[in-house]
Amino acid sequence: MTTITNTPETLRAAMVDQIKAAGHATTPAVEQALRTVPRHAFVPEATLEDAYADIAVITKRATDGSALSCASVPTIVAMMLDQLQVQPGHRILEIGAGTGYNAALLTHLTGPTGKVTTVDIDPEVTDGARRALDATGNQQVHVITRDGALAAPENAPYDRIIFTVGAWDLPPALWEQLALNGRLVVPLRWRGQTRSVAFNRSDDALVSDSMQLCGFVPMIGQEGERTGTIDPNGLVSLYWDADQTIDPSQLTGVLDQPKETVWSDVLVGPQEPFDGIWLRLTAQDNRVCRLATDHAAIDTDLCTPAIPSRSPALVEDASLAYLAIRKIAAGRHELGAVGHGPHGKDLARRLCDEIEVWNQDREAQPLVRASCARPAGENGQDLNVQLIEKTESRLLARMP
């Protein structure tokens, strides 16, 4: 009898085939890097199967169990490398060393004439990355223990900068160290959602040309997102940005008020994403935020959002509305909104209006322009532009 074992090579090949089937690793260079670099060598405590599964491998946790560092989901890694558009000879900075796996992929992409620098605030993480990189023949990667917000001026300027941690803000060091016409890829959080955004450097601004849904361990030291519960039992929470005038105390008990439900006639199938509605809203309405609900609130019909852990909501004073979904037929669901409070129905209608516009072009994405200072002549008062104020940067978002 012949026993067939899953070797690292066969598992890695299957992983890349799955990534390709998902629509990522779109260039021969990225595909070859993924087929070459041994991911299992960077997560030695994981089984071979887990090392090559399409999952994040957690390598360090906080005392409360939350992830502090990990090897990211392979499809997300490939997606972001596609966005980064690395060329041989590039100088690259990575913020968030993780296991060192992504730095090894970047080294393969830049070739012998390139240079990769990776930075992380946690010495335990950088020590682990250094060991794995050395063990896999990537001694040329420069590993630095430092607050990622400071980046690495000693090896600047960079043709490419990539964040492998979630960022709420864009630190000034990016403008100082990213070369003109350089490219930045960052999992950026605004209005409660996170997107891997690819920016091109143009003079004093960064202009987006690609956005993909993602989730990452948050960067330490960026505290711009606020959160609060809106029911006595703490089952329903809101997440909003510091520049928004949302006061959860005004919403206490709002979910006990009558529901105002509005349906859009827009249908989606089980595999059809609808996160683009939220993305559009961030460029159209400064009242949008994230709503998260415990399953106990759903079981009692207190709050029934489309996705319990993360659904867009609109908040105005003591009223709110959130995205909802209902089954219409086998494999078909209708999108709508549920409102509560004095303006709840109006907010629900507003959400449904955006659902209907999204349905006309589901692939449309906003253009985001990021800068260190408010751009001259643009004050965010244009109804077609949303100004999102961060601590050290500003975003202007508009639909094309």
Side-chain angles (χ1 to χ4, degrees):
M1 179 182 294
T2 301
T3 301
I4 299 175
T5 59
N6 284 327
T7 66
E9 291 75 20
T10 58
L11 289 170
R12 186 157 61 251
M15 177 191 77
V16 179
D17 290 344
Q18 183 178 5
I19 289 169
K20 294 282 289 180
H24 306 303
T26 56
T27 67
V30 171
E31 179 180 350
Q32 186 59 36
L34 291 164
R35 292 194 185 280
T36 303
V37 177
R39 188 172 189 252
H40 69 280
F42 294 88
V43 285
E45 295 183 2
T47 65
L48 274 177
E49 288 73 17
D50 282 351
Y52 290 106
D54 197 38
I55 59 173
V57 177
I58 308 301
T59 54
K60 184 174 182 179
R61 293 186 182 274
T63 54
D64 63 1
S66 60
L68 292 176
S69 187
C70 69
S72 299
V73 177
T75 51
I76 299 296
V77 171
M79 177 192 80
M80 294 178 70
L81 290 177
D82 285 342
Q83 290 181 299
L84 195 60
Q85 298 178 7
V86 176
Q87 298 297 320
H90 272 166
R91 299 174 70 87
I92 300 181
L93 172 64
E94 177 189 41
I95 307 296
T99 63
Y101 174 63
N102 202 60
L105 292 169
L106 292 168
T107 298
H108 190 280
L109 290 168
T110 59
T113 60
K115 184 173 182 62
V116 176
T117 302
T118 186
V119 175
D120 202 286
I121 198 171
D122 188 334
E124 186 177 344
V125 170
T126 52
D127 286 348
R130 179 75 276 165
R131 288 194 300 272
L133 287 164
D134 288 347
T136 54
N138 293 285
Q139 294 89 347
Q140 68 271 45
V141 175
H142 190 187
V143 181
I144 301 173
T145 304
R146 180 183 298 155
D147 184 350
L150 301 175
E154 54 265 56
N155 293 329
Y158 299 99
D159 302 291
R160 301 289 188 265
I161 297 178
I162 183 169
F163 279 61
T164 54
V165 290
W168 181 84
D169 203 354
L170 299 176
L174 295 181
W175 277 267
E176 298 164 4
Q177 298 177 34
L178 181 62
L180 189 64
N181 300 317
R183 194 164 173 87
L184 165 71
V185 173
V186 54
L188 186 60
R189 192 169 185 83
W190 75 100
R191 301 307 187 237
Q193 47 101 63
T194 302
R195 299 275 166 168
S196 177
V197 184
F199 289 103
N200 288 311
R201 173 75 186 271
S202 175
D203 297 327
D204 62 347
L206 297 164
V207 181
S208 69
D209 69 5
S210 170
M211 296 184 190
Q212 300 287 343
L213 186 67
C214 67
F216 272 83
V217 174
M219 190 171 179
I220 294 172
Q222 296 188 343
E223 309 297 336
E225 188 174 70
R226 309 288 188 252
T227 186
T229 58
I230 60 173
D231 69 297
N233 296 317
L235 300 176
V236 182
S237 301
L238 291 179
Y239 297 81
W240 69 96
D241 289 327
D243 68 325
Q244 293 178 287
T245 57
I246 293 175
D247 181 358
S249 66
Q250 288 187 282
L251 293 164
T252 301
V254 69
L255 297 173
D256 294 323
Q257 297 181 32
K259 285 186 177 183
E260 298 284 357
T261 304
V262 182
W263 297 105
S264 67
D265 295 326
V266 174
L267 303 182
V268 293
Q271 302 302 319
E272 292 181 288
F274 49 87
D275 55 277
I277 298 164
W278 195 345
L279 181 57
R280 285 186 60 94
L281 277 166
T282 68
Q284 304 281 75
D285 200 312
N286 64 8
R287 300 171 296 181
V288 65
C289 60
R290 172 190 167 201
L291 181 140
T293 305
D294 189 278
H295 282 285
I298 297 172
D299 294 341
T300 59
D301 203 39
L302 177 68
C303 187
T304 54
I307 301 175
S309 62
R310 51 176 184 86
S311 285
L314 294 176
V315 173
E316 182 179 338
D317 300 327
S319 303
L320 90 160
Y322 56 82
L323 186 68
I325 193 169
R326 66 176 176 179
K327 186 175 181 180
I328 296 298
R332 304 302 289 169
H333 292 77
E334 183 180 12
L335 298 172
V338 174
H340 294 270
H343 305 295
K345 191 166 188 177
D346 290 338
L347 293 174
R349 285 173 174 159
R350 170 74 184 92
L351 242 175
C352 280
D353 288 344
E354 201 60 40
I355 292 170
E356 291 163 6
V357 175
W358 164 80
N359 191 47
Q360 296 170 18
D361 183 359
R362 296 189 178 190
E363 300 303 317
Q365 293 186 338
L367 179 73
V368 174
R369 185 179 188 273
S371 63
C372 258
R374 190 190 304 273
E378 295 187 273
N379 59 13
Q381 298 305 308
D382 184 341
L383 294 178
N384 296 316
V385 177
Q386 286 300 314
L387 175 63
I388 298 143
E389 293 271 12
K390 303 284 188 176
T391 303
E392 297 179 310
S393 66
R394 292 162 176 81
L395 309 180
L396 283 169
R398 71 167 76 231
M399 291 304 299

